[in-house]
Amino acid sequence: MSNRICEILGIDKPVIQGPMVWLTDARLAAAVSNAGGMGSLGPNAGQTVVTRDPEGTAENMRAEIRKVRELTDKPFSVNVLPTQGREDIYTPPMLKVIYEEKVPVVTFVGEPDAAMFAEFKEHGIKIVYRSLNPSPENAKAAEEAGADIIVATGFDEGGTLPGMVLGTFSIVPLIVDAVDHTPVMAAGGIADARAFDAALALGAEGVYCGTAFLMSEESRMADNVKQAVLAANARDLLLFRTIPAYYRSLPGRLANALVAMDQAGASNEELGRKMGGFANLRLGMLEGDMENGYVSVGNGISHIHEIKSCQAIVDDLTKHFSL
Ligand SMILES: Cc1cc2nc3c(=O)[nH]c(=O)nc-3n(C[C@H](O)[C@H](O)[C@H](O)COP(=O)(O)O)c2cc1C
């Protein structure tokens, strides 16, 4: 049995560690790549302080990319997330670094961009396309624009939730049926071999996981947060509206206040302001202040019972998979 994801990316096991802003770094990405999957760097990977300067942000990424290369000779990806609706000052310097450093794969989030995809192709870069709001239409458009792999993300995921409340079981076959020839990966709530097998049964050819790798030995998420996630299950997670649509978090003073505001009818904009963007994600998840920050994880936490190495996580996810 041949697997197209492995062939396209040049990896052994069809598992991608999705980018997760501050919580990703060279150590995590390289550990997943060395385990036979593919690791990714998200915005501010490896950093602890905010850089507002777009050039400085891109140079920080260059340094992190070089660290990945010290730790692995396997493929890895860098996240490209063009800003929607306002001038995009961060993407041009980031692309320059991606091209100069010969990054092999981009994990692209946003609306399909045929011109940018063509540029990636010219540089020999593979494109993993993931929409925040997956639909048959944007999957088809991504395929036409030249995406190599399309990720279908369900509402079970951690991080920025889709506006359309469709679970992973609903969205994956919808996207698989919508595309013509492009392999699809499933994302959202996938943390064990049962979910990996189910994703393949739904027509996906691999899995794209965030939360499972946050709970690895190599992840830089704060230890007290890892312990709190181990003790929790999906039913403990709070869900609230925000910008652009929804988020979920473990309980804490900020998360509880957001739920109360939501129930009291606050607007998504008011909720977004209170939530405080990625600064409060960093506070909650990297610094471990679960009262004043928030802790965004996916529904797969119910099936995570220990902190393991990335190698053990990839091996466990794929234990019934053979090429
Ligand atoms: C804390 C957190 C931060 C995230 N940040 C990003 C990001 O910076 N860029 C991105 O494309 N996706 C981001 N995601 C989404 C992940 O890449 C991945 O699609 C998602 O975690 C999959 O769902 P799972 O957590 O249930 O496995 C984030 C997810 C989490 C949990």
Side-chain angles (χ1 to χ4, degrees), residues 66-271:
R66 291 186 175 176
K67 280 191 207 160
V68 175
R69 286 231 161 85
E70 285 168 18
L71 299 172
T72 187
D73 56 4
K74 301 270 168 46
F76 62 96
S77 90
V78 172
N79 206 187
V80 176
L81 301 110
T83 319
Q84 313 281 332
R86 62 192 150 87
E87 199 199 348
D88 187 2
I89 51 173
Y90 286 95
T91 303
M94 193 61 78
L95 292 181
K96 186 165 172 280
V97 165
I98 286 172
Y99 300 149
E100 285 170 1
E101 296 300 317
K102 303 195 176 350
V103 170
V105 183
V106 293
T107 32
F108 180 98
V109 172
E111 285 310 305
D113 182 329
M116 204 186 284
F117 284 15
E119 212 176 275
F120 292 146
K121 298 261 163 199
E122 277 165 32
H123 287 87
I125 297 173
K126 301 287 183 210
I127 305 159
V128 177
Y129 173 76
R130 190 174 83 83
S131 172
L132 290 178
N133 290 297
S135 69
E137 293 75 22
N138 58 29
K140 196 82 202 121
E143 178 168 66
E144 277 159 20
D148 294 285
I149 293 170
I150 293 174
V151 181
T153 313
F155 201 74
D156 300 282
E157 72 164 326
T160 306
L161 298 176
M164 194 153 285
V165 187
L166 289 180
T168 305
F169 251 71
S170 310
I171 196 71
V172 171
L174 197 64
I175 301 302
V176 167
D177 289 347
V179 294
D180 184 26
H181 56 268
T182 312
V184 172
M185 297 182 88
I190 297 167
D192 66 9
R194 291 173 300 183
F196 178 97
D197 298 349
L200 265 60
L202 294 172
E205 294 176 51
V207 298
Y208 188 98
C209 302
T211 301
F213 291 110
L214 284 179
M215 295 295 282
S216 67
E217 283 165 8
E218 293 90 346
S219 135
R220 67 200 301 247
M221 187 162 78
D223 281 333
N224 64 314
V225 179
K226 289 184 185 174
Q227 293 308 318
V229 173
L230 276 185
N233 66 53
R235 297 174 65 228
D236 298 313
L237 293 172
L238 304 177
L239 178 73
F240 46 85
R241 285 180 295 113
T242 184
I243 301 285
Y246 303 97
Y247 242 80
R248 51 168 76 83
S249 171
L250 279 182
R253 201 182 310 135
L254 174 61
N256 299 346
L258 287 162
V259 170
M261 278 174 71
D262 184 348
Q263 286 167 355
S267 68
N268 287 39
E269 287 71 20
E270 286 167 326
L271 281 152

